[in-house]
Amino acid sequence: MNNGNNPKKVGIKLLQQVQILYQNHAISTEDKDIMASCIKEGMIEGTFYKLNRKLFEVLETTTLPQVVENMIEITF
């Protein structure tokens, strides 16, 4: 995760990015739900490992790769 940031603040930012992707039809409803679940879990656990794996999958198919790349950067 990005230099010791608060996982809850990071999670909220990530959820906002997921909403942007979904509203722009860049991800499916299924992907949105999976990503949101991974984010919520990461906010509790303090690590976004599961989300990161999903982001790399989505990166290959999304129409907004820059948003996904930014999300990947935030999760490291």
Side-chain angles (χ1 to χ4, degrees):
M1 191 169 52
N2 193 10
N3 296 328
N5 285 333
N6 181 329
K8 290 184 178 162
K9 288 182 182 179
V10 172
I12 290 170
K13 183 173 178 125
L14 291 167
L15 287 169
Q16 291 170 339
Q17 297 297 310
V18 168
Q19 190 63 27
I20 289 169
L21 290 169
Y22 184 68
Q23 287 177 338
N24 285 288
H25 308 287
I27 58 173
S28 68
T29 302
E30 181 181 359
D31 285 338
K32 174 189 70 86
D33 292 343
I34 291 170
M35 291 167 71
S37 177
C38 290
I39 292 168
K40 290 173 186 172
E41 186 177 317
M43 291 169 72
I44 294 167
E45 294 180 0
T47 181
F48 294 97
Y49 176 74
K50 288 182 183 177
L51 173 65
N52 215 338
R53 288 191 337 214
K54 182 64 180 173
L55 289 172
F56 280 108
E57 289 176 25
V58 170
L59 184 59
E60 297 177 16
T61 60
T62 187
T63 57
L64 293 173
Q66 186 60 43
V67 175
V68 177
E69 289 172 359
N70 289 341
M71 292 175 71
I72 291 170
E73 188 175 312
I74 290 170
T75 61
F76 277 113

